[in-house]
Amino acid sequence: MKKRVVVALGHRALGTTLPEQKEAVKRSSRVIADLIEDGYQVAITHSNAPQLGMIHTAMNEFGKEHEEYTAAPMSVCSAMSQGYIGYDLQNAIREELISRGIFRTVCTILTQVTVDPYDEAFYTPTKVLGRYMSAEEAVVERKKGNYVVEEPGKGFRRVVSAPNPVKIVEIEAIRALMDADQIVIACGGGGIPVLEQDNRLKGASAVIEKDLAAGKLAEEIDADELVILTNVEKVCINRGKDNEEELGEISVEDAKRYMEEGHFGIYNMLPKFRASVEFIEKRDGREAMITSFDKLMDAMKGKTGTVIRKTIS
């Protein structure tokens, strides 16, 4: 049986502009292809914050200049970002695999993820995105019921909520493709956040933490490993202090303790550890890994990376 792994790609693996993304996905595709060549079944998810902000800005600026067009909701912008990131990524992986003599289908699933309308996150928006606005534009946004924050000397920006993922809507399609030994890109940017209203799905003005969605995806396809790629080879505790320490192999209990002690940034490492712990605790034999994408294969061989297991010997 092949081991099933979910790989979550961070900003560094994708770049922030169209040209950067084209080059970045070529590098990322080589890492993914290494895993596939080593016999892993791979599902991929990715961040989308710069791309989502760019699309949201472009669509809304266009709507302002052309009366016959309207601004695009956040959920629509999220879908657009999934599509164009997936397009570049799946083609880069396909090309890399073919160059190695591996002929496998790579596909992107535009993925919706339900959220709870009563999630506390909706009352405390935290995610800043989009263009800078003037004070007058910020007043208009607030009148619409949107949250806006000021960055001194720069202007005002929109702030949206980051609710927890509840259910992946297209999970049966993703499972079917994985069971057929295909390579799947899904839950990009945390998925398109939607609210269930009877038999209708309504887009939510929010973004979901990519790492939490990656953990949910790994859980729902019954993966063996969750790999979260970021910009550090190993996670550190006591960062910047005399007793700074790199984390190698740690237990779930260790991870929980470090989270409680406040070692990890709320919008950086904390979601990664939370996703890892929740994934591991659902079934014995699972593990999670946090490392940089250029060190992934060394980490898979036990040479580096921060690895979390239920227990360690």
Side-chain angles (χ1 to χ4, degrees):
M1 292 288 291
K2 290 185 176 181
K3 275 195 172 182
R4 184 170 289 186
V5 59
V6 169
V7 179
L9 301 175
H11 300 325
R12 186 181 172 196
L14 296 174
T16 57
T17 66
L18 287 170
E20 281 182 10
Q21 182 172 297
K22 276 285 188 185
E23 290 305 310
V25 296
K26 289 180 183 177
R27 296 190 298 271
S28 300
S29 68
R30 289 193 284 271
V31 173
I32 300 298
D34 287 341
L35 281 175
I36 294 163
E37 198 166 29
D38 271 10
Y40 287 91
Q41 278 191 337
V42 180
I44 304 146
T45 188
H46 56 78
S47 65
N48 74 337
Q51 292 84 353
L52 178 61
M54 178 177 65
I55 292 168
H56 188 256
T57 298
M59 296 300 291
N60 284 286
E61 288 299 299
F62 189 80
K64 283 171 54 181
E65 297 297 323
H66 300 82
E67 292 183 1
E68 66 273 27
Y69 292 93
T70 60
M74 193 68 65
S75 55
V76 172
C77 296
S78 179
M80 290 180 178
S81 72
Q82 281 193 20
Y84 101 81
I85 294 171
Y87 164 70
D88 276 347
L89 194 53
Q90 72 184 38
N91 283 341
I93 295 170
R94 176 182 179 274
E95 182 179 340
E96 181 65 27
L97 290 175
I98 289 174
S99 72
R100 301 183 188 201
I102 301 170
F103 300 90
R104 300 269 291 286
T105 301
V106 188
C107 63
T108 299
I109 303 289
L110 287 185
T111 316
Q112 302 173 95
V113 177
T114 61
V115 295
D116 182 351
Y118 302 107
D119 192 310
E120 286 293 324
F122 282 113
Y123 304 101
T124 53
T126 56
K127 290 288 187 178
V128 180
L129 78 164
R131 68 182 179 86
Y132 287 100
M133 298 178 284
S134 66
E136 293 77 16
E137 290 173 316
V139 169
V140 173
E141 284 297 316
R142 287 183 176 128
K143 285 181 178 178
K144 294 178 185 176
N146 295 325
Y147 289 84
V148 177
V149 294
E150 182 178 7
E151 294 186 27
K154 294 183 178 181
F156 298 80
R157 294 181 77 189
R158 176 94 178 270
V159 189
V160 298
S161 304
N164 292 312
V166 174
K167 183 175 65 178
I168 298 169
V169 177
E170 290 78 18
I171 192 62
E172 293 300 333
I174 297 168
R175 284 189 190 127
L177 288 164
M178 294 297 294
D179 289 344
D181 204 21
Q182 304 305 308
I183 299 120
V184 183
I185 302 163
C187 295
I192 304 161
V194 293
L195 302 168
E196 283 190 297
Q197 298 180 343
D198 296 323
N199 63 344
R200 179 176 174 234
L201 296 174
K202 177 179 172 57
S205 185
V207 293
I208 299 170
E209 284 283 359
K210 172 263 299 178
D211 299 313
L212 297 182
K216 177 66 70 174
L217 175 62
E219 169 58 33
E220 295 203 8
I221 65 170
D222 197 22
D224 301 290
E225 297 183 46
L226 170 64
V227 176
I228 299 176
L229 301 183
T230 184
N231 60 350
V232 295
E233 184 175 338
K234 289 184 178 181
V235 181
C236 289
I237 56 173
N238 303 312
R239 180 172 287 279
K241 300 178 182 179
D242 291 340
N243 60 340
E244 179 174 306
E245 178 187 350
E246 288 186 335
L247 299 178
E249 185 178 328
I250 63 172
S251 69
V252 163
E253 290 307 313
D254 291 332
K256 287 180 177 179
R257 176 163 51 85
Y258 295 141
M259 287 192 287
E260 290 171 2
E261 291 172 353
H263 288 282
F264 309 126
I266 295 174
Y267 309 120
N268 184 11
M269 284 298 168
L270 187 60
K272 295 172 174 54
F273 272 78
R274 184 181 150 200
S276 298
V277 167
E278 290 177 0
F279 166 68
I280 293 167
E281 288 190 320
K282 294 289 175 59
R283 176 170 68 75
D284 288 341
R286 290 176 169 172
E287 67 178 39
M289 179 184 301
I290 304 170
T291 191
S292 57
F293 83 95
D294 55 326
K295 294 293 184 180
L296 174 57
M297 294 314 296
D298 283 342
M300 297 299 280
K301 295 171 184 175
K303 296 179 180 179
T304 190
T306 297
V307 179
I308 307 169
R309 296 189 176 96
K310 198 161 189 176
T311 58
I312 57 174
S313 54

